[in-house]
Amino acid sequence: MRFSSPLGRQEGRGAALRRRPGQLIIVGFAGAIAVGTLLLLLPIAASSAPASFMEALFTATSAVCVTGLIVTDTPVFWSGFGEAVILVLIQLGGLGVMTVASLLGVLVSRRLDLSSRLVAAESTRTVGLGDVRQMLVRVVILAAVVETAVALVLAVRFAVAYDEPLGRAVWHGVFHSISAYNNAGFALFSLSLIDFVADPWICVPICIATILGGLGLPVVLEVLRERRRPGRWSVHTKITLLMTALLLAGGTLFFLVAEWDNPATMGTLDTGGRILASFTQSAQARTAGYNSVSTGDMHTETWLGTVILMFIGGGSAGTAGGIKVTTFAVLAVVIWSELRGDPDATVFDRRISPATQRQALTMALLAVAIVVLPTLWMTALSPFTVDQILFEVTSAFTTTGLSTGITAQLAWYHQLALVALMFIGRLGPVTLGTALALRASRRLYRLPESAPIIG
């Protein structure tokens, strides 16, 4: 007969949690959403009538998952207390995502063998395996520095150019800087940034905060550490920065061409205003969620281009969503190598491992399935068009927050589906990527090779 002490059982449970970090992460974020929902249900959280359960749940999920989709007009429906709750949920969700992603990177490195650990260290150059506390401090410091700087610029601009009282200007500056850095997209203006479409002192700082938050902690820290020696940047950092620059430039050009003559969006602006609006939309479409022109009035082809940008998303271990720029880049490199007949997929003089290629393909195909299936279901049961539904579903799954304006009009069960998509989209890529890495194993044998006909 075996006896076990309470201490032994506690240690066993702790070991189980370490073996299954995804479960702990899911429970933690679900708990934050539950607490946020209860707080938003309080009568003091609303300006007039208390929020319904779906309104509170949807808003809490959107805040914790740093999405920005809303079923109520934030500055009108919620009171000052409600806005403060939303802001705290955004900050907790954003810092939680960056912390969780970085901690899981450390966990993965610990579980790999020595050779794989050396490759991982060279590829990502994240914090050291025993440096978890320092990493957590860096997450908080980076967020505080960026958010404070952006908040100061915004507060001064609101006070000087728009005659806002000092307290209100500071509150607007703090709220939008935190929301932007965490890629949340919540705004204290009913029209988001539309009233500031041609104001670079509002749009540019918000875009800078969005980009920095979306790059990811490992990239930002490495750039700061090796700022004078970019040649020593890791492959991960080079890919992230290159893809971010290309997508920002390409997205700006796309919006500029697609909406140039649209009087409902950019058609009435001068050339400088159109360029600024296009850059803002390009930066925000990759999972931040602010809009300086009316998304619902964009051309249908612009919606499709926005869906592509949302689906790609931002950098790993950051506050952005989507399949991540590194996943997209790896798939692009694999396709290019195959077209050239190159047996190895290489980038920046480094060969991409077969395991990484499989993980990128798995991530992308699962993401496609997660977007397509709900789109088909919701289109069949709602009066809205497939392009509108596809936009909303993609925005929820990629935690972007842009909307064609139909979110509040959807049936409660469709809104509940968007809640699930926001939760899956926020935690799914992080936990799935870790799970794929941790499941890697070696076989003592290999089966005979086969080559099915492709195409």
Side-chain angles (χ1 to χ4, degrees), residues 117-413:
R117 289 169 68 174
L118 292 175
V119 172
E122 192 279 332
S123 299
T124 61
R125 292 192 185 179
T126 54
V127 291
L129 299 182
D131 213 11
V132 174
R133 180 178 298 180
Q134 187 176 0
M135 180 269 296
L136 295 176
V137 171
R138 288 173 176 175
V139 168
V140 174
I141 290 177
L142 179 62
V145 169
V146 175
E147 291 170 358
T148 301
V150 174
L152 287 173
V153 175
L154 295 179
V156 171
R157 186 61 176 176
F158 285 133
V160 173
Y162 299 96
D163 297 324
E164 292 278 6
L166 181 59
R168 186 175 178 85
V170 171
W171 173 239
H172 281 180
V174 170
F175 189 99
H176 292 93
S177 66
I178 293 176
S179 182
Y181 178 72
N182 292 287
N183 279 221
F186 277 87
L188 295 182
F189 305 102
S190 298
L191 299 178
S192 191
L193 300 182
I194 291 178
D195 291 336
F196 313 103
V197 59
D199 189 343
W201 290 100
I202 299 294
C203 293
V204 173
I206 287 178
C207 288
I208 291 175
T210 296
I211 294 168
L212 290 176
L215 286 176
L217 177 69
V219 173
V220 175
L221 291 181
E222 184 174 351
V223 169
L224 292 176
R225 184 175 60 247
E226 304 288 354
R227 56 186 177 275
R228 296 183 179 180
R229 296 175 293 182
R232 298 186 59 182
W233 289 349
S234 66
V235 172
H236 172 78
T237 295
K238 291 177 180 178
I239 290 177
T240 302
L241 292 178
L242 176 62
M243 291 302 302
T244 298
L246 290 177
L247 290 172
L248 280 174
T252 301
L253 181 61
F254 167 76
F255 284 110
L256 196 62
V257 173
E259 296 294 316
W260 180 271
D261 293 325
N262 187 348
T265 55
M266 304 180 189
T268 59
L269 301 174
D270 58 20
T271 301
R274 288 170 175 168
I275 293 175
L276 177 61
S278 298
F279 172 75
T280 302
Q281 290 303 123
S282 178
Q284 301 303 314
R286 293 180 41 250
T287 85
Y290 284 116
N291 59 289
S292 61
V293 297
S294 175
T295 305
D297 291 323
M298 289 179 175
H299 297 307
T300 303
E301 58 270 24
T302 310
W303 284 352
L304 179 58
T306 305
V307 165
I308 295 173
L309 290 174
M310 290 192 297
F311 189 79
I312 296 173
S316 301
T319 54
I323 64 171
K324 310 300 184 185
V325 292
T326 45
T327 302
F328 181 77
V330 167
L331 293 177
V333 169
V334 170
I335 293 172
W336 178 243
S337 300
E338 189 64 27
L339 291 176
R340 292 188 306 165
D342 193 335
D344 295 321
T346 59
V347 59
F348 295 117
D349 298 324
R350 291 292 185 273
R351 177 168 50 87
I352 300 176
S353 69
T356 301
Q357 298 177 36
R358 293 194 302 270
Q359 291 168 15
L361 181 61
T362 302
M363 187 81 71
L365 291 181
L366 285 178
V368 170
I370 292 173
V371 168
V372 169
L373 294 179
T375 298
L376 294 175
W377 172 65
M378 293 176 65
T379 302
L381 299 178
S382 72
F384 302 106
T385 60
V386 65
D387 48 1
Q388 290 175 305
I389 297 296
L390 175 63
F391 195 99
E392 300 295 314
V393 169
T394 306
S395 181
F397 171 69
T398 60
T399 67
T400 303
L402 290 174
S403 173
T404 59
I406 68 172
T407 308
Q409 305 172 45
L410 293 171
W412 68 268
Y413 46 87

